Amino acid sequence: MKNAASAGQRWLLVTCFFVCPLLFFTNLTRNPYVTQIALLHAGVALALAAWAWTQAARADGARFPRLPPALPLALFAAAWAASWTRAYLLHPAFFRPAIAAEGARNGLFFAVLCVGTFLLAAALAGDDDGSAEVPLGAWVAFAVVWGLLWTGFAAARGRAAAAPDDFWGLLWDPYGALVWALGLAGAGWLTRRGRTTDYLHLALCAGFLASAYGILQYFNMELVWPYTLNPYGGRAVSTFGNPNFLSSFNVALLPVALALFIGERSAPRRLAYAGLFLTLEGALLATLTRSSWVGALAACAALALAPRLRARAKALPRPLGLLLGVGVAMAVFWPSSDISTGYTPTVLGRLTEFESMMRVGAAYSPFHQRVLIWSCGWLMGHESPLLGKGGGLFELFYPFYQGVMLHHFTFFHNMRTHANNAHNEVLEVFSQTGLIGLGAYAAFWVSFFGAAWRWAKGRAGEDPLWCGAVAGCAGVLLDNLLNVSLHFAVPAFLFWWLAGTAMGRGAREGAGWWTWRASAGARRAAAGVLLALAGGVCWIQARVWAREAWYFAGFKLARRGDLPGAVRALERSREWGPREVNALYELGNAYARSGRYSDAADAYREALDANAGYDEIFFNLATVERANLGRPAQALDFYEMSWAINPLSLGAVNALSAVYLSLPGAYLGRALPVLAEAVRDFPDDPSLWNNYGYALTLAKRWEAAQAAFEQALAIAPQMAQARRNLAGLAAQAKRPASPFLGALDELERLDDAVRRRDFSDKTIALARDVARRAPTMGKARFLLGSLLLTRGFAAQAVPELEAAASLEPRRAAARINLGNAYLALGKTAQARAQFQAALTADPSDAATAARLQSLGGAR
């Protein structure tokens, strides 16, 4: 049994290290990471149980290396649990199902992929015999041959699945299965001794393969699929699905590869590690992830803190200098991606973007969006400084704090996002677990790096793998001051494995062992409990995978218009469970489109029980309640929640204001601030201005009401309802009629003259009068400027057309006429700018495109 457990553990870890980073389905689940997540959770849990079973069979008792950061880790876990419990008990009952769902999901990630991986790696490193002989030639041959086998996949792959729910067709491919079988056999043979160095070389092998593929992607060379995969434009994603995950994976591996290069005495083996290092660096550059560049640089530099490794580096200045020189040259001269569309800067171009961040008043989304996220994270922690908002609950509550920021700061309107994490590890921990959790987390890493500093001066400092593991942890932590990769499965697994490997070495550095000398029966019972828990983890992950596969099948069927099929698939997804917000939201949408409104409302409520942070779910639920189920009182609460989360939803604003204004006696006080904010956020929407004017009229705020109606008509002069409201206001308020009404009458006569092509002085005089009476009406300024231009008065036309373009920046005609006026005045550069702006507003305008090209402008 012990040998079987050891063999099972080894194959499980081969799956974690080799399969999970390289297996990535693009058409199987909506969340493409689900397969990786499920395999990693199950693999780590079962491997930990297998290790426990081998310990139960030891004659001298189960033993585990003493870990310096063990106490801070336990304290952090307790703080995490306490913060979640506090959140569950103190939040309103409405949020408790979502708190339970999000807490369970993130708690499982923390327990298995963070703590479980750390402890398992530490245990195996502690039991390692310390031998470092590695068949590097076999590893190189395996990586090259297996990678080349995939170049035949595009030609040899079987048919695509015929139906969205044909999961076997989506999973199975004979050639792909053969290649994977060969890969697993080779990886299993190379790791047959089950040593720490074997698993880390397997990670390096997977990193090399993923990196080589990522570089090919970056240069638009797709050798696996019959089409190019570029979801992030020119940024390489490889098999990770996200450039930031690939980049962090390589940050962790780069110092390991560099340390192995420095530690090698054989020139051919050094050459192999040099090729690995440069391939990892190339993929890192191809991800264009700047925080990872900083982390990798710091991680590699940190190797110099190990005295023995530093001395070894001094002994080979030329090979190391050549490697580092090539690495620097790659960074300096790295070209832009060959992807024809999307974002494709060079490395230096990516770095010089920081200049945009320094401009006063300018918005640089990659930075300022993080400022928005950090602000919300700070508010969460500040609300409960000791224990934070709740362990695992950042994603759930972030939208509500973001909503507050969006309501108050228009600067952030273009940066609204759905943040899974805080994009800063310090704020990530503080926002959810407060100062207590942050203190324990900081103590963990102080203890970790303190122990590493002591051990680096001893035998551990002679081990390149150990030095690289410590440096890799430092680099990834630095990277995650601006990144989120520590909270996604594959990079998190590698990070915590390196951390556990580094600390497990302490058993051989004098830290000693903790031994449990209970009876064999008691130890087997404990291992059995752990095995049962691992089985539970596997069952949960199997359910999650099936839920996600059926959800995506239903999603695709709905997009094809097959609503009955979509409902059946999405109901199967719900049956598998556990609750997932997107799957249940899609089920609600399918029910609503099928006319099953009561079922739709129930599905939307279930979605909110999974995660109550989605404004669109509140909005759809409110719409079903109001329009289809006749329950306006319940709908109002949901509309208000939707608007609170997302004030930039025009649908929510219109629906909410419609409910308010249908019962002005009860809700006028609520309607006014909502509409005042709405016209600030949507200043070009005439309907909102008209509704705001109506609410102001009901409040007897006559001057403000008149201004609102006039603004509605300035945007849309043909809006009959606003015109009637403005006319009625004078009688209701017993005040003179608005001069805007006279301007509208004259505008009608002006339109008639223009239709008759009457461009006489009389028509121009009429246009001047209209523009004088309604200077904020873009149409009036446009007509006057165009008439002046037609009559050859280009200089007089320019200010009118500039005003028209300013009032209606998306009106292409105003830009074109302004460009023509500039041309008549000999101002070619200004004309080109206006024609370019016109094309931006209307890209289909071939005549303007040709005009711009004739002037030497870019299309």
Side-chain angles (χ1 to χ4, degrees), residues 22-308:
L22 298 175
L23 182 69
F24 191 81
F25 292 103
T26 60
N27 195 34
L28 182 60
T29 55
R30 183 78 191 280
N31 178 350
Y33 312 113
V34 165
T35 303
Q36 296 171 319
I37 293 169
L39 285 174
L40 273 175
H41 276 84
V44 171
L46 288 172
L48 192 59
W51 170 82
W53 196 262
T54 63
Q55 292 297 306
R58 290 178 65 101
D60 57 347
R63 69 175 193 168
F64 191 83
R66 295 186 182 276
L67 306 177
L71 179 58
L73 179 61
L75 291 175
F76 178 70
W80 197 100
S83 67
W84 179 89
T85 303
R86 176 190 174 278
Y88 185 85
L89 295 175
L90 296 186
H91 278 88
F94 172 82
F95 287 103
R96 288 177 184 170
I99 290 173
E102 285 293 288
R105 179 176 66 86
N106 290 306
L108 191 65
F109 181 96
F110 172 63
V112 176
L113 290 189
C114 299
V115 177
T117 300
F118 175 74
L119 295 178
L120 178 60
L124 296 183
D127 271 329
D128 201 300
D129 61 10
S131 61
E133 183 271 323
V134 174
L136 192 56
W139 278 108
V140 171
F142 169 71
V144 172
V145 171
W146 194 75
L148 288 175
L149 286 174
W150 281 106
T151 62
F153 180 68
R157 66 191 295 261
R159 67 172 181 87
D165 56 356
D166 181 8
F167 302 141
W168 180 249
L170 289 165
L171 280 166
W172 175 256
D173 179 84
Y175 182 80
L178 173 64
V179 176
W180 272 113
L182 293 172
L184 285 170
W189 183 80
L190 288 165
T191 59
R192 61 193 179 278
R193 283 173 287 184
R195 303 171 303 166
T196 296
T197 187
D198 297 327
Y199 295 126
L200 288 181
H201 273 80
L202 185 56
L204 290 167
C205 178
F208 169 80
L209 289 164
S211 295
Y213 181 39
I215 293 171
L216 292 174
Q217 275 186 337
Y218 185 81
F219 291 109
N220 204 20
M221 291 183 283
E222 178 56 67
L223 301 182
V224 177
W225 296 103
Y227 47 84
T228 300
L229 297 174
N230 58 333
Y232 288 82
R235 301 179 67 188
V237 299
S238 186
T239 55
F240 283 69
N242 187 306
N244 298 335
F245 303 164
L246 173 62
S247 67
S248 290
F249 196 83
N250 285 10
V251 169
L253 292 178
L254 271 166
V256 178
L258 182 58
L260 288 168
F261 172 87
I262 295 171
E264 274 296 343
R265 299 183 182 277
S266 163
R269 291 171 68 90
R270 276 205 307 268
L271 184 62
Y273 286 125
L276 170 64
F277 177 84
L278 294 175
T279 303
L280 293 171
E281 183 198 356
L284 178 61
L285 296 174
T287 65
L288 300 177
T289 306
R290 289 165 296 194
S291 63
S292 295
W293 296 346
V294 175
L297 187 63
C300 292
L303 294 175
L305 298 176
R308 309 280 176 86

Side-chain angles (χ1 to χ4, degrees), residues 358-717:
M358 306 308 294
R359 297 179 196 155
V360 176
Y364 180 58
S365 186
F367 173 72
H368 289 108
Q369 189 177 73
R370 282 175 169 80
V371 172
L372 172 61
I373 297 170
W374 296 337
S375 300
C376 295
W378 171 259
L379 290 173
M380 288 187 203
H382 183 266
E383 188 177 279
S384 177
L386 291 181
L387 285 174
K389 193 65 181 176
L393 303 182
F394 186 93
E395 181 181 355
L396 170 60
F397 288 113
Y398 170 79
F400 297 94
Y401 291 85
Q402 178 180 243
V404 172
M405 298 293 290
L406 296 177
H407 280 290
H408 286 86
F409 302 104
T410 58
F411 177 80
F412 291 118
H413 279 186
N414 292 330
M415 298 163 208
R416 178 179 174 269
T417 185
H418 187 89
N420 302 94
N421 303 96
H423 286 261
N424 178 281
E425 194 64 10
V426 175
L427 281 170
E428 177 81 23
V429 176
F430 170 67
S431 64
Q432 296 175 83
T433 61
L435 292 172
I436 293 176
L438 182 60
Y441 193 70
F444 175 90
W445 290 111
V446 168
S447 177
F448 177 96
F449 288 112
W453 178 258
R454 295 191 302 272
W455 298 342
K457 300 170 184 177
R459 288 179 301 165
E462 301 173 2
D463 181 358
L465 278 174
W466 181 85
C467 294
V470 175
C473 289
V476 175
L477 282 173
L478 185 59
D479 172 22
N480 273 260
L481 293 179
L482 290 168
N483 204 343
V484 296
S485 56
L486 277 177
H487 305 280
F488 288 83
V490 173
F493 166 75
L494 179 61
F495 172 81
W496 285 106
W497 185 273
L498 293 178
T501 297
M503 289 297 98
R505 178 63 186 264
R508 305 204 303 270
E509 299 300 320
W513 297 86
W514 175 81
T515 304
W516 186 35
R517 302 187 187 281
S519 67
R523 284 183 275 134
R524 281 194 295 270
V529 170
L530 194 57
L531 182 61
L533 291 174
V537 171
C538 293
W539 174 237
I540 290 172
Q541 294 306 313
R543 291 174 61 204
V544 166
W545 189 92
R547 178 199 71 199
E548 289 295 307
W550 280 108
Y551 157 49
F552 197 33
F555 178 88
K556 289 183 282 189
L557 288 166
R559 296 306 180 271
R560 294 182 182 183
D562 182 2
L563 287 178
V567 167
R568 286 193 297 272
L570 291 165
E571 286 177 338
R572 290 288 300 274
S573 173
R574 179 172 61 182
E575 289 167 5
W576 276 102
R579 285 192 302 262
E580 200 280 327
V581 60
N582 295 292
L584 291 165
Y585 173 59
E586 194 65 32
L587 177 59
N589 291 340
Y591 280 146
R593 291 175 62 192
S594 303
R596 297 170 58 178
Y597 300 116
S598 181
D599 289 335
D602 290 342
Y604 289 140
R605 284 187 168 87
E606 287 184 69
L608 293 173
D609 284 345
N611 187 325
Y614 286 79
D615 65 283
E616 56 265 47
I617 303 176
F618 284 108
F619 177 80
N620 285 11
L621 177 55
T623 301
V624 167
E625 291 282 1
R626 178 179 174 231
N628 305 114
L629 299 179
R631 298 192 287 235
Q634 294 184 39
L636 180 59
D637 291 338
F638 297 130
Y639 278 137
E640 287 180 331
M641 188 69 84
S642 177
W643 181 73
I645 294 173
N646 182 13
L648 305 181
S649 169
L650 185 57
V653 170
N654 285 329
L656 184 57
S657 59
V659 174
Y660 283 154
L661 296 180
S662 67
L663 295 170
Y667 300 122
L668 180 60
R670 296 194 205 178
L672 285 168
V674 169
L675 287 166
E677 186 175 326
V679 296
R680 179 202 70 182
D681 296 340
F682 302 98
D684 297 328
D685 190 309
S687 296
L688 286 177
W689 282 105
N690 182 57
N691 287 343
Y692 187 37
Y694 177 65
L696 290 166
T697 301
L698 294 175
K700 296 182 169 45
R701 293 167 55 182
W702 310 118
E703 290 186 9
Q706 178 174 317
F709 289 135
E710 288 176 349
Q711 185 60 29
L713 290 165
I715 299 167

